[in-house]
């Protein structure tokens, strides 16, 4: 349970007043690094973090990936047209020389 009252600590104990990152409840902690008021909030925060990490990538990365693949496709098409143009030019120059 969250320590909402300082009277539960020894009179000379070093106590830190914190705000829970999950529920926003002010609480007293015996550690300076405490982030959550109780194990329940810590568990919920951990579950939320794991569900965010479970997603492979966000929409922006999907758009970038799609644009990169489209760019590669268009680059291939352009290279094919350049090659065909060179072949046609050689054929025309060959016929003009005859």
């Amino acid at each position: 349970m969250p320590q909402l009252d300082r009277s539960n600590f020894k009179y000379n104990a070093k106590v830190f007043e914190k705000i829970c990152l999950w529920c926003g409840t002010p609480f007293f902690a015996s550690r300076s690094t405490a982030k959550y008021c109780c194990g329940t909030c810590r568990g919920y925060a951990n579950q939320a973090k794991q569900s965010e990490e479970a997603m492979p990538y966000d929409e922006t990365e999907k758009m970038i990936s799609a644009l990169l693949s489209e760019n590669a496709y268009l680059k291939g098409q352009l290279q094919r047209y350049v090659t065909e143009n060179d072949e046609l030019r050689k054929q025309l120059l060959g016929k003009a020389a005859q």
Side-chain angles (χ1 to χ4, degrees):
M1 292 302 299
Q3 298 289 333
L4 303 177
D5 188 13
R6 189 185 168 121
S7 64
N8 294 338
F9 292 97
K10 290 184 178 180
Y11 71 95
N12 62 349
K14 192 168 192 177
V15 177
F16 301 93
E17 187 173 352
K18 299 282 196 166
I19 295 179
C20 180
L21 294 179
W22 182 254
C23 66
T25 304
F27 68 100
F28 292 102
S30 58
R31 293 180 175 203
S32 63
T33 59
K35 296 179 182 179
Y36 306 104
C37 63
C38 61
T40 304
C41 287
R42 187 173 58 246
Y44 284 139
N46 191 28
Q47 285 178 354
K49 181 181 173 186
Q50 287 177 354
S51 68
E52 288 175 3
E53 291 174 355
M55 289 186 271
Y57 43 82
D58 61 357
E59 293 296 321
T60 305
E61 291 179 4
K62 286 181 184 177
M63 288 176 37
I64 291 172
S65 176
L67 289 173
L68 287 174
S69 64
E70 184 177 353
N71 187 21
Y73 170 76
L74 292 174
K75 187 175 179 181
Q77 290 289 91
L78 182 63
Q79 185 62 37
R80 186 175 62 102
Y81 292 140
V82 167
T83 305
E84 287 178 2
N85 189 20
D86 288 343
E87 289 174 6
L88 289 173
R89 182 177 289 142
K90 287 178 185 177
Q91 287 177 2
L92 286 174
L93 290 174
K95 287 183 180 180
Q98 292 176 358

